[in-house]
Coordinates of all heavy atoms in Angstrom, one line a residue:
M1 N 34.4 130.3 -102.1 CA 35.6 130.7 -102.8 C 36.0 132.1 -102.2 O 35.2 133.0 -102.1 CB 35.3 130.8 -104.3 CG 36.4 131.3 -105.1 SD 36.1 131.2 -106.9 CE 36.6 129.5 -107.1
A2 N 37.2 132.2 -102.0 CA 37.8 133.5 -101.4 C 37.5 134.7 -102.3 O 37.2 135.8 -101.7 CB 39.3 133.3 -101.2
I3 N 37.5 134.5 -103.6 CA 37.2 135.7 -104.5 C 35.8 136.2 -104.3 O 35.6 137.4 -104.1 CB 37.5 135.3 -105.9 CG1 39.0 135.0 -106.1 CG2 37.1 136.4 -106.9 CD1 39.4 134.4 -107.4
A4 N 34.8 135.3 -104.4 CA 33.4 135.7 -104.2 C 33.2 136.3 -102.8 O 32.5 137.3 -102.7 CB 32.5 134.5 -104.5
E5 N 33.7 135.7 -101.8 CA 33.6 136.2 -100.5 C 34.2 137.6 -100.3 O 33.6 138.5 -99.7 CB 34.2 135.2 -99.5 CG 33.5 133.9 -99.3 CD 34.2 132.9 -98.6 OE1 35.4 133.1 -98.2 OE2 33.7 131.8 -98.4
A6 N 35.4 137.8 -100.9 CA 36.0 139.1 -100.8 C 35.2 140.1 -101.6 O 35.1 141.3 -101.2 CB 37.4 139.0 -101.4
M7 N 34.6 139.7 -102.7 CA 33.7 140.6 -103.5 C 32.6 141.1 -102.6 O 32.2 142.3 -102.6 CB 33.2 140.0 -104.8 CG 34.3 139.8 -105.8 SD 33.6 138.8 -107.3 CE 32.5 140.1 -107.9
L8 N 31.9 140.1 -101.9 CA 30.8 140.5 -101.1 C 31.2 141.4 -100.0 O 30.5 142.4 -99.7 CB 30.1 139.2 -100.6 CG 28.9 139.4 -99.7 CD1 27.8 140.2 -100.5 CD2 28.3 138.1 -99.3
R9 N 32.3 141.1 -99.3 CA 32.8 141.9 -98.2 C 33.1 143.3 -98.7 O 32.7 144.3 -98.0 CB 34.0 141.3 -97.6 CG 33.8 140.2 -96.6 CD 35.0 139.9 -95.8 NE 36.2 139.7 -96.6 CZ 36.6 138.5 -97.1 NH1 35.9 137.4 -96.9 NH2 37.7 138.4 -97.8
Y10 N 33.7 143.4 -99.8 CA 34.1 144.8 -100.3 C 32.8 145.5 -100.7 O 32.7 146.7 -100.3 CB 34.9 144.6 -101.6 CG 35.4 145.9 -102.1 CD1 36.7 146.4 -101.8 CD2 34.6 146.7 -102.9 CE1 37.1 147.6 -102.2 CE2 35.1 148.0 -103.4 CZ 36.3 148.4 -103.0 OH 36.8 149.6 -103.5
H11 N 31.8 144.9 -101.3 CA 30.6 145.5 -101.7 C 29.8 146.0 -100.5 O 29.3 147.1 -100.5 CB 29.7 144.6 -102.5 CG 28.5 145.2 -103.1 ND1 27.3 145.1 -102.5 CD2 28.3 146.0 -104.2 CE1 26.4 145.8 -103.2 NE2 27.0 146.3 -104.2
E12 N 29.8 145.2 -99.4 CA 29.1 145.6 -98.2 C 29.8 146.8 -97.5 O 29.1 147.7 -97.0 CB 29.0 144.4 -97.3 CG 28.0 143.4 -97.7 CD 28.0 142.1 -96.9 OE1 29.0 141.9 -96.1 OE2 27.0 141.4 -96.9
A13 N 31.1 146.8 -97.6 CA 31.9 147.9 -96.9 C 31.9 149.2 -97.7 O 31.9 150.3 -97.1 CB 33.3 147.4 -96.7
H14 N 31.9 149.1 -99.1 CA 32.1 150.3 -99.9 C 30.9 150.7 -100.8 O 30.9 151.8 -101.4 CB 33.3 150.1 -100.8 CG 34.5 149.8 -100.0 ND1 35.3 150.8 -99.4 CD2 35.2 148.7 -99.7 CE1 36.3 150.3 -98.8 NE2 36.3 149.0 -99.0
G15 N 29.9 149.8 -100.9 CA 28.7 150.1 -101.7 C 28.9 150.1 -103.2 O 28.1 150.5 -104.0
E16 N 30.0 149.5 -103.6 CA 30.3 149.2 -105.0 C 31.1 148.0 -105.1 O 31.7 147.5 -104.2 CB 31.1 150.4 -105.6 CG 32.4 150.7 -105.0 CD 33.1 152.0 -105.6 OE1 32.5 152.6 -106.5 OE2 34.2 152.3 -105.1
W17 N 31.2 147.4 -106.3 CA 31.9 146.2 -106.6 C 33.4 146.5 -106.7 O 33.7 147.5 -107.2 CB 31.3 145.4 -107.8 CG 30.0 145.0 -107.5 CD1 28.8 145.5 -108.0 CD2 29.5 144.0 -106.6 NE1 27.7 144.9 -107.5 CE2 28.1 143.9 -106.7 CE3 30.2 143.1 -105.8 CZ2 27.4 143.0 -105.9 CZ3 29.4 142.2 -105.1 CH2 28.1 142.1 -105.1
P18 N 34.3 145.6 -106.3 CA 35.7 145.9 -106.4 C 36.2 145.7 -107.8 O 35.7 145.0 -108.6 CB 36.3 144.8 -105.4 CG 35.3 143.7 -105.5 CD 33.9 144.3 -105.7
T19 N 37.4 146.3 -108.0 CA 38.1 146.1 -109.2 C 38.9 144.8 -109.1 O 39.1 144.2 -108.0 CB 39.1 147.3 -109.5 OG1 40.1 147.2 -108.4 CG2 38.4 148.6 -109.5
Q20 N 39.5 144.3 -110.2 CA 40.3 143.1 -110.2 C 41.5 143.3 -109.3 O 41.9 142.4 -108.5 CB 40.8 142.8 -111.6 CG 39.7 142.3 -112.5 CD 40.1 141.8 -113.8 OE1 41.3 141.4 -114.0 NE2 39.3 141.9 -114.8
R21 N 42.1 144.5 -109.3 CA 43.3 144.7 -108.5 C 42.9 144.7 -107.0 O 43.6 144.2 -106.2 CB 43.9 146.1 -108.8 CG 45.2 146.4 -107.9 CD 45.8 147.7 -108.3 NE 46.3 147.7 -109.7 CZ 47.5 147.2 -110.1 NH1 48.3 146.6 -109.2 NH2 47.9 147.2 -111.3
E22 N 41.8 145.3 -106.7 CA 41.3 145.3 -105.3 C 41.1 143.9 -104.7 O 41.4 143.6 -103.6 CB 40.1 146.2 -105.1 CG 40.4 147.7 -105.3 CD 39.2 148.5 -105.5 OE1 38.1 148.0 -105.9 OE2 39.3 149.7 -105.3
I23 N 40.5 143.0 -105.6 CA 40.3 141.7 -105.2 C 41.6 140.9 -105.0 O 41.9 140.2 -104.0 CB 39.4 140.9 -106.2 CG1 38.0 141.4 -106.1 CG2 39.5 139.4 -106.0 CD1 37.3 141.1 -104.7
A24 N 42.5 141.1 -106.0 CA 43.8 140.4 -105.9 C 44.6 140.8 -104.6 O 45.1 140.0 -103.9 CB 44.7 140.8 -107.1
D25 N 44.5 142.1 -104.3 CA 45.2 142.6 -103.1 C 44.5 142.0 -101.8 O 45.2 141.6 -100.9 CB 45.1 144.2 -103.0 CG 46.0 144.8 -104.0 OD1 46.9 144.1 -104.6 OD2 45.8 146.0 -104.2
E26 N 43.2 142.0 -101.8 CA 42.4 141.5 -100.7 C 42.7 140.1 -100.3 O 42.8 139.7 -99.2 CB 40.9 141.7 -101.0 CG 40.0 141.0 -99.9 CD 40.0 141.8 -98.6 OE1 40.3 143.0 -98.6 OE2 39.6 141.2 -97.6
I27 N 42.9 139.2 -101.4 CA 43.1 137.8 -101.1 C 44.5 137.4 -101.2 O 44.9 136.2 -101.1 CB 42.2 136.9 -102.0 CG1 42.5 137.1 -103.4 CG2 40.7 137.2 -101.7 CD1 41.7 136.1 -104.3
G28 N 45.4 138.3 -101.5 CA 46.8 138.0 -101.5 C 47.4 137.4 -102.8 O 48.4 136.7 -102.7
L29 N 46.7 137.6 -103.9 CA 47.2 137.0 -105.1 C 48.2 138.0 -105.7 O 47.9 139.2 -105.7 CB 46.0 136.8 -106.1 CG 45.2 135.6 -105.9 CD1 44.1 135.6 -107.0 CD2 46.0 134.3 -106.0
N30 N 49.2 137.5 -106.3 CA 50.2 138.4 -106.9 C 50.0 138.6 -108.4 O 50.8 138.4 -109.2 CB 51.6 137.7 -106.7 CG 52.7 138.7 -106.9 OD1 52.5 139.9 -107.0 ND2 53.9 138.2 -107.0
T31 N 48.7 138.9 -108.7 CA 48.3 139.1 -110.1 C 47.2 140.1 -110.1 O 46.5 140.3 -109.2 CB 47.9 137.8 -110.8 OG1 47.6 138.1 -112.2 CG2 46.7 137.2 -110.2
T32 N 47.1 140.8 -111.2 CA 45.9 141.7 -111.4 C 45.0 141.1 -112.5 O 44.0 141.7 -112.8 CB 46.4 143.1 -111.8 OG1 47.2 143.1 -112.9 CG2 47.1 143.8 -110.6
N33 N 45.4 140.0 -113.1 CA 44.6 139.4 -114.1 C 43.7 138.4 -113.5 O 44.0 137.2 -113.4 CB 45.4 138.8 -115.2 CG 44.5 138.2 -116.3 OD1 43.3 138.4 -116.4 ND2 45.1 137.4 -117.2
M34 N 42.5 138.8 -113.0 CA 41.6 138.0 -112.4 C 40.5 137.4 -113.3 O 39.6 136.7 -112.9 CB 40.8 138.8 -111.3 CG 41.7 139.4 -110.2 SD 42.5 138.1 -109.2 CE 41.1 137.5 -108.4
S35 N 40.7 137.7 -114.6 CA 39.7 137.2 -115.6 C 39.4 135.8 -115.6 O 38.2 135.4 -115.6 CB 40.2 137.6 -117.0 OG 40.3 139.0 -117.1
P36 N 40.4 134.9 -115.5 CA 40.1 133.4 -115.4 C 39.2 133.1 -114.2 O 38.3 132.3 -114.3 CB 41.4 132.7 -115.3 CG 42.4 133.7 -115.8 CD 41.9 135.1 -115.5
Y37 N 39.5 133.7 -113.1 CA 38.7 133.5 -111.9 C 37.3 134.0 -112.0 O 36.3 133.3 -111.7 CB 39.4 134.1 -110.7 CG 40.8 133.6 -110.5 CD1 41.9 134.5 -110.8 CD2 41.1 132.4 -110.0 CE1 43.2 134.0 -110.7 CE2 42.4 131.9 -109.8 CZ 43.4 132.8 -110.2 OH 44.7 132.4 -110.0
F38 N 37.2 135.2 -112.5 CA 35.8 135.8 -112.8 C 35.0 135.0 -113.8 O 33.8 134.8 -113.6 CB 35.9 137.2 -113.2 CG 36.3 138.2 -112.1 CD1 37.1 139.3 -112.4 CD2 35.8 138.1 -110.8 CE1 37.4 140.2 -111.4 CE2 36.2 138.9 -109.8 CZ 37.0 140.0 -110.1
S39 N 35.7 134.5 -114.8 CA 35.0 133.7 -115.8 C 34.5 132.4 -115.2 O 33.3 132.0 -115.6 CB 36.0 133.3 -117.0 OG 36.4 134.5 -117.7
A40 N 35.2 131.8 -114.3 CA 34.7 130.6 -113.7 C 33.5 130.9 -112.8 O 32.5 130.1 -112.8 CB 35.8 130.0 -112.8
L41 N 33.5 132.0 -112.1 CA 32.3 132.4 -111.3 C 31.1 132.7 -112.1 O 30.0 132.4 -111.8 CB 32.7 133.6 -110.4 CG 33.7 133.3 -109.3 CD1 34.1 134.7 -108.6 CD2 33.1 132.4 -108.2
I42 N 31.4 133.4 -113.3 CA 30.3 133.7 -114.2 C 29.7 132.5 -114.8 O 28.5 132.3 -114.8 CB 30.8 134.7 -115.3 CG1 31.1 136.1 -114.7 CG2 29.8 134.8 -116.4 CD1 31.9 137.0 -115.6
K43 N 30.5 131.5 -115.2 CA 30.1 130.2 -115.7 C 29.2 129.5 -114.8 O 28.2 128.9 -115.2 CB 31.3 129.4 -116.1 CG 30.9 128.1 -116.8 CD 32.1 127.4 -117.3 CE 31.8 126.1 -118.0 NZ 32.9 125.3 -118.4
K44 N 29.5 129.6 -113.5 CA 28.7 128.9 -112.4 C 27.5 129.7 -112.0 O 26.7 129.2 -111.2 CB 29.6 128.6 -111.2 CG 30.6 127.5 -111.5 CD 31.5 127.2 -110.3 CE 32.5 126.2 -110.7 NZ 33.0 125.5 -109.6
G45 N 27.3 130.9 -112.5 CA 26.2 131.7 -112.2 C 26.3 132.4 -110.8 O 25.4 133.0 -110.3
I46 N 27.6 132.5 -110.3 CA 27.8 133.1 -109.0 C 28.0 134.6 -109.3 O 27.7 135.5 -108.4 CB 29.1 132.5 -108.4 CG1 28.9 131.0 -108.2 CG2 29.5 133.3 -107.1 CD1 27.7 130.7 -107.3
A47 N 28.6 135.0 -110.4 CA 28.9 136.4 -110.8 C 28.3 136.7 -112.1 O 28.0 135.8 -112.9 CB 30.4 136.7 -110.7
M48 N 28.3 138.0 -112.5 CA 27.8 138.4 -113.8 C 28.6 139.6 -114.2 O 29.1 140.4 -113.4 CB 26.4 138.8 -113.8 CG 26.0 139.9 -112.9 SD 24.3 140.2 -112.8 CE 24.2 141.4 -111.5
K49 N 28.8 139.8 -115.5 CA 29.4 141.0 -116.1 C 28.4 142.1 -116.1 O 27.2 141.9 -116.3 CB 29.8 140.8 -117.5 CG 31.0 139.8 -117.7 CD 32.3 140.5 -117.3 CE 33.1 140.8 -118.5 NZ 34.3 141.5 -118.2
I50 N 28.9 143.3 -115.8 CA 28.1 144.5 -115.8 C 28.6 145.4 -117.0 O 29.8 145.8 -116.9 CB 28.2 145.3 -114.5 CG1 27.8 144.5 -113.3 CG2 27.3 146.6 -114.6 CD1 28.1 145.2 -112.0
P51 N 27.9 145.5 -118.0 CA 28.4 146.3 -119.2 C 28.5 147.8 -118.9 O 27.7 148.3 -118.1 CB 27.4 146.0 -120.3 CG 26.1 145.7 -119.6 CD 26.5 145.0 -118.3
D52 N 29.5 148.4 -119.5 CA 29.6 149.8 -119.6 C 29.8 150.5 -118.2 O 29.3 151.6 -118.0 CB 28.4 150.5 -120.3 CG 28.3 149.9 -121.7 OD1 29.3 149.7 -122.4 OD2 27.1 149.7 -122.2
V53 N 30.5 149.9 -117.3 CA 30.8 150.5 -116.0 C 32.3 150.7 -115.7 O 32.6 151.0 -114.6 CB 30.1 149.8 -114.9 CG1 28.6 149.9 -115.0 CG2 30.5 148.4 -114.7
G54 N 33.1 150.5 -116.7 CA 34.5 150.7 -116.4 C 35.2 149.5 -115.7 O 34.9 148.3 -116.0
R55 N 36.0 149.8 -114.8 CA 36.8 148.7 -114.1 C 36.0 147.9 -113.1 O 36.4 146.8 -112.8 CB 38.0 149.4 -113.3 CG 38.9 150.1 -114.2 CD 40.0 150.8 -113.5 NE 39.5 151.6 -112.4 CZ 40.0 151.7 -111.2 NH1 41.1 151.0 -110.9 NH2 39.5 152.5 -110.3
R56 N 34.9 148.4 -112.6 CA 34.1 147.6 -111.6 C 33.0 146.9 -112.4 O 31.8 147.2 -112.2 CB 33.5 148.6 -110.6 CG 34.7 149.3 -109.8 CD 34.1 150.2 -108.8 NE 35.2 151.0 -108.3 CZ 36.1 150.6 -107.3 NH1 36.0 149.4 -106.8 NH2 37.1 151.4 -106.9
N57 N 33.4 146.0 -113.3 CA 32.4 145.4 -114.2 C 32.0 144.0 -113.9 O 31.4 143.3 -114.8 CB 33.0 145.5 -115.6 CG 34.2 144.7 -115.8 OD1 34.8 144.2 -114.9 ND2 34.7 144.7 -117.0
V58 N 32.3 143.5 -112.7 CA 31.8 142.1 -112.3 C 31.2 142.3 -111.0 O 31.7 142.9 -110.0 CB 33.0 141.1 -112.3 CG1 32.5 139.8 -111.8 CG2 33.7 141.0 -113.6
A59 N 30.0 141.7 -110.9 CA 29.2 141.7 -109.6 C 28.7 140.3 -109.3 O 28.6 139.5 -110.2 CB 28.0 142.7 -109.8
L60 N 28.4 140.1 -108.1 CA 27.8 138.8 -107.7 C 26.3 138.8 -108.1 O 25.7 139.9 -108.0 CB 27.9 138.6 -106.2 CG 29.3 138.4 -105.6 CD1 29.3 138.3 -104.1 CD2 30.0 137.2 -106.3
T61 N 25.8 137.7 -108.5 CA 24.4 137.5 -108.7 C 23.7 137.4 -107.4 O 24.3 137.1 -106.4 CB 24.2 136.3 -109.6 OG1 24.6 135.1 -108.9 CG2 24.8 136.4 -111.0
D62 N 22.4 137.4 -107.4 CA 21.6 137.2 -106.2 C 21.9 135.7 -105.7 O 22.1 135.5 -104.5 CB 20.1 137.3 -106.5 CG 19.7 138.8 -106.7 OD1 20.5 139.7 -106.2 OD2 18.6 139.0 -107.2
K63 N 22.0 134.8 -106.7 CA 22.3 133.4 -106.3 C 23.7 133.4 -105.6 O 23.8 132.7 -104.6 CB 22.3 132.6 -107.6 CG 22.9 131.2 -107.4 CD 23.0 130.5 -108.8 CE 23.7 129.1 -108.6 NZ 23.9 128.5 -109.9
G64 N 24.7 134.1 -106.2 CA 26.0 134.1 -105.6 C 26.0 134.6 -104.2 O 26.6 134.0 -103.3
E65 N 25.3 135.7 -104.0 CA 25.3 136.3 -102.6 C 24.6 135.4 -101.7 O 25.1 135.2 -100.5 CB 24.5 137.7 -102.7 CG 25.3 138.8 -103.3 CD 24.6 140.1 -103.1 OE1 24.1 140.4 -102.0 OE2 24.6 140.9 -104.0
T66 N 23.5 134.8 -102.1 CA 22.8 133.8 -101.2 C 23.7 132.6 -100.8 O 23.8 132.2 -99.7 CB 21.5 133.3 -101.9 OG1 20.7 134.4 -102.1 CG2 20.8 132.3 -101.0
L67 N 24.4 132.0 -101.8 CA 25.2 130.9 -101.6 C 26.4 131.2 -100.6 O 26.7 130.5 -99.7 CB 25.8 130.3 -102.9 CG 24.8 129.6 -103.8 CD1 25.4 129.3 -105.1 CD2 24.3 128.3 -103.1
I68 N 27.0 132.4 -100.8 CA 28.1 132.8 -100.0 C 27.6 133.0 -98.5 O 28.3 132.5 -97.6 CB 28.8 134.1 -100.5 CG1 29.5 133.8 -101.8 CG2 29.7 134.7 -99.5 CD1 29.8 135.0 -102.6
R69 N 26.5 133.6 -98.4 CA 25.9 133.8 -97.0 C 25.6 132.5 -96.3 O 25.6 132.4 -95.1 CB 24.7 134.8 -97.1 CG 25.1 136.2 -97.5 CD 23.8 137.1 -97.5 NE 24.0 138.3 -98.2 CZ 24.7 139.3 -97.8 NH1 25.3 139.3 -96.6 NH2 24.8 140.4 -98.5
Q70 N 25.3 131.5 -97.1 CA 25.0 130.2 -96.6 C 26.2 129.3 -96.4 O 26.1 128.1 -96.1 CB 24.0 129.5 -97.5 CG 22.6 130.1 -97.5 CD 21.7 129.5 -98.5 OE1 22.1 128.7 -99.4 NE2 20.4 129.8 -98.5
G71 N 27.4 129.8 -96.6 CA 28.6 129.0 -96.4 C 29.0 128.2 -97.6 O 29.7 127.2 -97.5
W72 N 28.7 128.7 -98.8 CA 29.0 128.0 -100.0 C 30.4 127.6 -100.2 O 31.3 128.4 -99.8 CB 28.6 128.9 -101.2 CG 29.0 128.4 -102.5 CD1 28.6 127.3 -103.2 CD2 30.0 129.0 -103.4 NE1 29.2 127.2 -104.4 CE2 30.1 128.2 -104.5 CE3 30.9 130.1 -103.2 CZ2 31.0 128.6 -105.5 CZ3 31.7 130.4 -104.2 CH2 31.8 129.7 -105.4
Q73 N 30.6 126.4 -100.7 CA 32.0 126.0 -101.1 C 31.9 125.6 -102.5 O 30.9 125.1 -103.0 CB 32.4 124.7 -100.2 CG 32.4 125.0 -98.8 CD 33.5 126.0 -98.4 OE1 34.6 125.9 -98.9 NE2 33.2 126.9 -97.5
P74 N 33.0 125.8 -103.3 CA 33.0 125.5 -104.7 C 32.5 124.1 -105.1 O 31.9 123.9 -106.1 CB 34.5 125.7 -105.1 CG 35.0 126.6 -104.1 CD 34.3 126.3 -102.8
S75 N 32.7 123.2 -104.2 CA 32.3 121.8 -104.6 C 30.8 121.6 -104.5 O 30.3 120.6 -104.9 CB 33.0 120.8 -103.6 OG 32.6 121.1 -102.3
M76 N 30.1 122.6 -104.0 CA 28.6 122.5 -103.8 C 27.9 122.7 -105.1 O 26.7 122.4 -105.2 CB 28.1 123.5 -102.8 CG 28.6 123.2 -101.4 SD 28.2 124.5 -100.2 CE 26.4 124.2 -100.0
L77 N 28.6 123.2 -106.2 CA 27.9 123.4 -107.5 C 28.2 122.3 -108.4 O 29.2 121.7 -108.4 CB 28.3 124.7 -108.1 CG 27.8 125.9 -107.3 CD1 28.3 127.2 -108.0 CD2 26.3 126.0 -107.2

């Protein structure tokens, strides 16, 4: 999924997780409401909420990072 891949690329480049706006800009979405997309990734165990960190409050799980590095496609879950 482009969102999870973009999250991983951003994290590797900047050492922190991206904001919703940064992800939308990265993948060319014309929205800043990424909540439905993040919710789907969280439901599948690809991402997780990080409490009390402000705007950078969604991170990939270890499972998510591993799947992305292995060429994960949404249909694989």
